[in-house]
């Protein structure tokens, strides 16, 4: 039966990792896959997570299934983190939510929920967006359209064009927005721009679908939630897919959250049943471990404080790496102003160089990143920044 299948092109990001591992260059640099790295190039287990693991080991008495929606302490902790204690949607019991296997799992089951509600719903994604949005949402059978987002020529958001397109959305359309730290560009909406998005969402009656994979990596845990809280406080329906892979460093544990702000409590009960039934039809029961760890961290004052400190450290380190790169580019004679990198947020930046230049820096200098020019800022460190800047300057001349 499988002889009818045809080979697929390798995944561009995973293919890059393979090429990097095979490269014997002593000063090769990996700015490809989106995982946080410390100064030594390691992806550490956060200290708060290590402590929670010890507590969990001592406390866990069974490996039986957890409840279908996941750990309720995890769900409540995450919803408070995202929406805040003051959230009207939470207070009025309008939020359905399940623990999902990673942010990807959350995106996928929310896409299936949208398809159950309206199989003709159109989902608008930013141009560009994270490549995996397309299969995750498209596999649910939904039509995908793009709205303009980033202009490489000006290295900034093309907000007017974005708004012009959103003004053409119709009732029931779904608009996917990155909650913060846009992947791949690092270019985030300002608070004033979020205010305008809210207005157009009200006018056109589309449903925002917020992907939140980097909360805390932009300006801070509360600051980064501005758009999420604005939309969820002011609209009847919003979808949220959140991930704990990056900000808790729990990549392999697969822990995420799918949440739906609904019109009222009666509809919330129905949506809760539906999203659990979607999950049941795909993977049946949620994995426990990662959610149990995040539950412990968010519901223990001391551990939560330690975790926030570690998120602050990761964010501040990435900010300082941006500044270091911009300085080194100028110091090495770049004939272009790269200061836009300092205003981009989170783990990624678009360097706005051409695919040919990306290929050249890879073949000539063993610096690896994807052809869109997206770099993982966390892959830079004090040892490699000068080499990186020199290599970049040499290919853009
Ligand atoms: C924009 C975005 N959304 C969601 C995810 C989902 O991550 P995970 O499934 O590992 O939690 C990622 C991971 O890279 C991402 O960049």
């Amino acid at each position: 039966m499988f002889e009818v299948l045809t080979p697929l092109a390798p995944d561009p990001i995973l293919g890059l990792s393979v090429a990097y591992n095979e490269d014997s260059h002593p000063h090769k640099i990996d700015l490809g896959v989106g995982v946080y790295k410390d100064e030594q190039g390691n992806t550490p287990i956060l200290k708060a997570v290590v402590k929670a693991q010890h507590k969990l080991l001592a406390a866990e008495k069974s490996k039986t299934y957890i409840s279908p929606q996941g750990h309720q302490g995890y769900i409540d902790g995450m919803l408070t983190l995202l929406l805040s204690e003051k959230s009207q949607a939470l207070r009025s019991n309008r939020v359905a939510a399940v623990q999902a296997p990673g942010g990807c799992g959350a995106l996928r089951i929310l896409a299936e929920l949208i398809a159950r509600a309206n199989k003709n719903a159109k989902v608008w994604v930013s141009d560009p967006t994270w490549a995996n949005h397309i299969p995750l949402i498209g596999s649910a059978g939904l039509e995908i359209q793009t709205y303009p987002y980033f202009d490489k020529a000006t290295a900034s958001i093309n907000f007017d064009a974005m708004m012009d397109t959103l003004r053409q959305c119709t009732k029931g359309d779904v608009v996917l927005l990155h909650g913060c730290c846009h992947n791949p560009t690092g270019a985030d909406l300002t608070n004033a721009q979020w205010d305008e998005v809210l207005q157009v969402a009200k006018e056109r009656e589309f449903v925002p679908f917020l992907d939140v994979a980097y909360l805390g990596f932009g300006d801070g845990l509360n600051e980064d939630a501005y758009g999420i809280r604005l939309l969820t406080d002011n609209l009847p329906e919003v979808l949220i897919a959140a991930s704990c892979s990056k900000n808790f460093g729990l990549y392999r544990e697969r822990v995420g959250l799918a949440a739906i702000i609904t019109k009222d409590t009666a509809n919330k009960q129905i949506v809760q049943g539906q999203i659990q039934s979607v999950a049941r039809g795909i993977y049946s029961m949620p994995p426990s471990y990662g959610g149990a760890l995040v539950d412990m961290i968010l519901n223990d004052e001391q551990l939560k404080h330690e975790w926030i400190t570690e998120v602050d450290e990761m964010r501040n380190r990435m900010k300082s790496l941006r500044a270091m790169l911009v300085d080194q580019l100028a110091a090495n004679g770049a004939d272009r102003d790269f200061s836009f990198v300092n205003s981009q947020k989170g783990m990624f930046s678009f360097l706005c160089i051409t695919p040919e230049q990306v290929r050249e820096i890879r073949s000539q200098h063993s610096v690896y990143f994807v052809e869109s020019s997206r770099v993982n800022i966390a892959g830079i460190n004090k040892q490699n920044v000068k080499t990186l800047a020199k290599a970049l300057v040499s290919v853009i001349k």
Side-chain angles (χ1 to χ4, degrees), residues 329-387:
L329 283 164
N332 283 283
D335 56 6
R336 273 173 59 187
D337 177 15
F338 279 92
S339 57
F340 63 85
V341 170
N342 276 328
S343 52
Q344 293 172 335
K345 294 189 183 160
M347 207 145 80
F348 301 111
S349 261
F350 249 25
L351 292 181
C352 301
I353 63 172
T354 66
E356 294 73 36
Q357 290 166 334
V358 174
R359 285 196 289 273
E360 190 182 337
I361 198 170
R362 190 184 312 158
S363 62
Q364 301 296 312
H365 304 276
S366 294
V367 177
Y368 287 78
F369 51 94
V370 281
E371 290 194 358
S372 64
S373 84
R374 185 198 82 163
V375 292
N376 174 10
I377 290 290
I380 304 172
N381 55 49
K382 287 184 187 127
Q383 276 72 50
N384 68 18
V385 67
K386 213 177 257 181
T387 314

Side-chain angles (χ1 to χ4, degrees), residues 226-275:
Y226 180 86
I228 306 165
R229 294 176 186 175
L230 181 77
L231 299 190
T232 54
D233 281 344
N234 290 287
L235 292 172
E237 293 182 325
V238 178
L239 302 153
I240 304 174
S243 164
C244 299
S245 299
K246 323 281 163 154
N247 53 5
F248 285 86
L250 289 169
Y251 304 85
R252 64 175 64 167
E253 311 305 350
R254 313 308 300 136
V255 54
L257 184 84
I260 308 102
I261 316 301
T262 61
K263 285 188 176 139
D264 54 35
T265 306
N267 189 237
K268 174 221 153 158
Q269 310 293 8
I270 295 168
V271 170
Q272 184 70 42
Q274 288 282 347
I275 191 81

Side-chain angles (χ1 to χ4, degrees), residues 182-221:
H182 186 271
N183 180 4
T185 67
D188 277 2
L189 298 174
T190 62
N191 290 356
Q193 288 171 332
W194 276 111
D195 295 345
E196 289 190 48
V197 170
L198 170 65
Q199 287 318 314
V200 73
K202 280 185 177 167
E203 280 159 32
R204 305 307 301 168
E205 296 183 76
F206 62 71
V207 179
F209 185 170
L210 299 168
D211 183 3
V212 189
Y214 301 91
L215 193 75
F217 277 15
D219 291 320
L221 288 162

Side-chain angles (χ1 to χ4, degrees), residues 53-233:
Q53 291 192 124
H54 288 303
K55 281 180 76 171
L56 184 60
L57 191 63
E60 202 173 44
K61 295 276 180 290
S62 171
K63 291 289 185 192
T64 185
Y65 298 117
I66 58 171
S67 54
Q69 81 272 21
H71 292 288
Q72 196 57 47
Y74 166 77
I75 294 170
D76 294 342
M78 284 295 289
L79 287 174
T80 307
L81 190 69
L82 293 160
L83 308 184
S84 96
E85 271 157 12
K86 294 189 213 130
S87 159
Q88 277 311 316
L90 279 178
R91 288 185 176 189
S92 55
N93 193 18
R94 293 194 291 119
V95 188
V98 295
Q99 183 181 324
C104 288
L107 284 160
R108 180 57 198 268
I109 59 174
L110 287 170
E112 295 287 348
L113 183 75
I114 295 167
R116 277 194 184 189
N118 175 11
K119 66 178 171 23
N120 297 317
K122 220 182 267 174
V123 181
W124 295 83
V125 302
S126 62
D127 176 20
T129 195
W130 181 47
N132 214 17
H133 279 147
I134 313 298
L136 283 168
I137 295 166
S139 300
L142 296 168
E143 180 188 339
I144 299 178
Q145 298 266 0
T146 58
Y147 60 86
Y149 187 74
F150 189 79
D151 182 4
K152 268 193 174 176
T154 58
S156 61
I157 295 176
N158 191 349
F159 190 64
D160 290 343
M162 170 179 170
M163 293 301 279
D164 284 347
T165 304
L166 295 190
R167 276 189 208 100
Q168 289 159 29
C169 288
T170 51
K171 187 173 174 169
D173 280 2
V174 175
V175 176
L176 191 123
L177 297 151
H178 297 229
C180 60
C181 306
H182 186 271
N183 180 4
T185 67
D188 277 2
L189 298 174
T190 62
N191 290 356
Q193 288 171 332
W194 276 111
D195 295 345
E196 289 190 48
V197 170
L198 170 65
Q199 287 318 314
V200 73
K202 280 185 177 167
E203 280 159 32
R204 305 307 301 168
E205 296 183 76
F206 62 71
V207 179
F209 185 170
L210 299 168
D211 183 3
V212 189
Y214 301 91
L215 193 75
F217 277 15
D219 291 320
L221 288 162
N222 280 315
E223 292 82 349
D224 291 354
Y226 180 86
I228 306 165
R229 294 176 186 175
L230 181 77
L231 299 190
T232 54
D233 281 344

Side-chain angles (χ1 to χ4, degrees), residues 284-350:
S284 185
M285 301 297 277
S288 170
Y289 191 69
L293 295 177
V294 175
D295 182 354
M296 277 191 171
I297 293 169
L298 292 181
N299 293 301
D300 176 313
E301 225 166 278
Q302 178 62 30
L303 278 183
K304 185 173 177 188
H305 175 76
E306 286 184 37
W307 169 67
I308 292 174
T309 307
E310 292 185 276
V311 173
D312 291 348
E313 279 167 14
M314 291 192 277
R315 178 181 64 254
N316 291 332
R317 178 165 172 275
M318 289 187 286
K319 280 197 171 181
S320 73
L321 295 171
R322 289 178 181 282
M324 246 164 46
L325 177 62
V326 172
D327 288 351
Q328 281 296 327
L329 283 164
N332 283 283
D335 56 6
R336 273 173 59 187
D337 177 15
F338 279 92
S339 57
F340 63 85
V341 170
N342 276 328
S343 52
Q344 293 172 335
K345 294 189 183 160
M347 207 145 80
F348 301 111
S349 261
F350 249 25

